[in-house]
Amino acid sequence: MIELQQLSPRSLNRRLIKRALTVLALGALSAPAFFMTDAHAADEAMRVGVLIPGSKTDKGWMESGYEGVTAAQKEFGPKLKTQIIENINYADMEQALTNLATKNQLVIGVGGQTQAAVLKIAKRFPNVKFAIVGGSKGETMPPNVAGYDVKQAEIAFVAGAAAAMLSKSNAVSYVGGMEIPSIVNAGKEFGNGARYVNPKIKYFESYTGDFDNVAKAREATAAAIAQGADVHYHILNLGLRGLEQAAKEKNTHVIGSYTDRCGSDPLYIAYSITGVGYQAQYAIEQLEKGTWQPGYKAFGLAMGPKASGMAVCKPTPAMEAKIKEIEQDILSGKIKVSEG
């Protein structure tokens, strides 16, 4: 069973205290399986709490993470009870995580922006396991925390190469949300990948300071289009809607992130796969198997196509071959990319 809590940032504290939460219960299997609950079954079920800072319908990172949780729910059925809190701002993350940690065996933070709060709260709950989808290397993690690195910079290099091959104007752009190391490194490597294929390509890079700001994402994309960019990449959440608006207005195109959705929208000509949902599901599967391990774990291209890859929607054979060559050269170390 999935328990979904949508909390407005202003009323989070009050709602957590009163525990008057808006709950949407979804049956993971058939209706009969959902309603067949008893005390024993509840005691035996795995309990997993998930913090999704943004919207689970953002067509990006947060939605991919949510899809991984729902995939795990389908996999384990009544053996798994999942509590999800979404749409939380930074000031309220610690209290949201505390709420999840008091009720669950495993707590998953979907996004690197949850890392600081997870590392702090995990110390208060040493018997609860925590996983950060998008966890970065470098910080010392408590013995009950796992950090899963999606290797965004790695696949961003490949996306940049694909963008350069797909661009007709020889100009591409990238819009990131918060200007934090992992997002900046992805932007840097997207540009490097584009120049690897076409040294003369024009590259425009910008940051909105907010993953969800639609107006700023639209403005940044429009500015790049005005300078000739016709293929756009991003690391945004709801801000993606602004990027889409600008791209549609000028008949340019987008390389999407996180999940292959080729064929669903002609605006998108390719997708980079970063396995956000795959990692959320992985954490739950490891809990069920009893093989969950703390510490930093890199995913990326080395973990296979579910974890990382490039999907061009209408590739030529030459394009497919070049992308595979670049991926292999990254794996072998011939092409070196930034961490994160």
Side-chain angles (χ1 to χ4, degrees):
M1 178 178 84
I2 293 179
E3 178 184 279
L4 180 64
Q5 301 176 3
Q6 297 186 13
L7 309 180
S8 68
R10 292 182 179 178
S11 62
L12 174 67
N13 293 344
R14 177 169 54 82
R15 292 192 179 192
L16 286 176
I17 293 170
K18 292 183 178 180
R19 303 179 72 178
L21 304 174
T22 302
V23 176
L24 174 63
L26 303 175
L29 297 177
S30 63
F34 173 73
F35 286 111
M36 288 173 61
T37 59
D38 54 38
H40 177 71
D43 290 341
E44 294 298 321
M46 293 183 290
R47 296 179 181 271
V48 177
V50 184
L51 176 60
I52 299 177
S55 168
K56 65 182 178 62
T57 58
D58 67 354
K59 295 175 67 176
W61 181 288
M62 302 300 162
E63 185 168 341
S64 178
Y66 178 72
E67 288 174 346
V69 176
T70 56
Q73 188 69 72
K74 290 178 182 177
E75 179 181 358
F76 295 116
K79 289 175 60 180
L80 173 64
K81 293 187 71 174
T82 306
Q83 177 190 7
I84 297 175
I85 298 177
E86 66 166 331
N87 285 318
I88 294 297
N89 65 24
Y90 298 99
D92 296 322
M93 280 187 190
E94 290 182 16
Q95 190 154 0
L97 287 166
T98 299
N99 176 266
L100 293 172
T102 59
K103 302 174 183 178
N104 297 285
Q105 301 162 266
L106 169 67
V107 175
I108 302 172
V110 180
Q113 62 266 53
T114 69
Q115 180 155 315
V118 167
L119 295 180
K120 183 176 180 179
I121 298 304
K123 295 175 183 177
R124 292 172 45 196
F125 294 90
N127 295 322
V128 177
K129 296 176 174 64
F130 292 79
I132 306 162
V133 176
S136 59
K137 190 176 183 179
E139 290 194 62
T140 301
M141 293 185 179
N144 59 331
V145 178
Y148 301 149
D149 188 349
V150 301
K151 308 290 281 186
Q152 287 185 109
E154 184 180 79
I155 197 60
F157 185 100
V158 185
M165 289 186 274
L166 291 164
S167 175
K168 296 179 180 179
S169 66
N170 290 320
V172 299
S173 75
Y174 167 84
V175 181
M178 291 186 68
E179 203 165 347
I180 56 179
S182 60
I183 308 304
V184 173
N185 286 344
K188 171 187 172 183
E189 294 303 343
F190 179 78
N192 288 342
R195 287 186 287 265
Y196 184 82
V197 169
N198 179 2
K200 295 183 179 180
I201 199 163
K202 294 180 181 179
Y203 170 53
F204 306 101
E205 179 179 336
S206 59
Y207 300 88
T208 65
D210 186 334
F211 292 109
D212 296 317
N213 193 307
V214 174
K216 287 185 178 180
R218 179 175 179 170
E219 180 182 345
T221 306
I225 292 171
Q227 297 178 81
D230 67 344
V231 177
H232 319 290
Y233 189 57
H234 73 94
I235 296 183
L236 298 166
N237 295 332
L238 286 177
L240 173 59
R241 294 174 185 174
L243 186 151
E244 289 178 331
Q245 290 166 9
K248 284 179 180 178
E249 287 174 1
K250 298 298 182 180
N251 197 32
T252 58
H253 292 91
V254 181
I255 293 180
S257 300
Y258 316 122
T259 304
D260 178 3
R261 302 183 191 277
C262 278
S264 63
D265 186 342
L267 182 67
Y268 286 82
I269 53 177
Y271 292 87
S272 68
I273 300 161
T274 46
V276 175
Y278 173 75
Q279 290 175 50
Q281 187 173 3
Y282 174 89
I284 297 170
E285 289 175 343
Q286 295 302 299
L287 176 69
E288 193 274 337
K289 293 176 182 176
T291 55
W292 185 93
Q293 294 290 327
Y296 171 83
K297 182 176 180 61
F299 282 72
L301 293 168
M303 287 289 284
K306 289 184 178 180
S308 185
M310 195 70 218
V312 177
C313 298
K314 295 181 180 180
T316 65
M319 191 180 297
E320 285 186 315
K322 186 64 176 177
I323 288 172
K324 286 182 180 179
E325 176 189 308
I326 290 170
E327 290 178 345
Q328 289 301 314
D329 286 347
I330 290 172
L331 286 171
S332 71
K334 183 178 179 180
I335 295 175
K336 298 188 182 301
V337 299
S338 304
E339 289 289 338

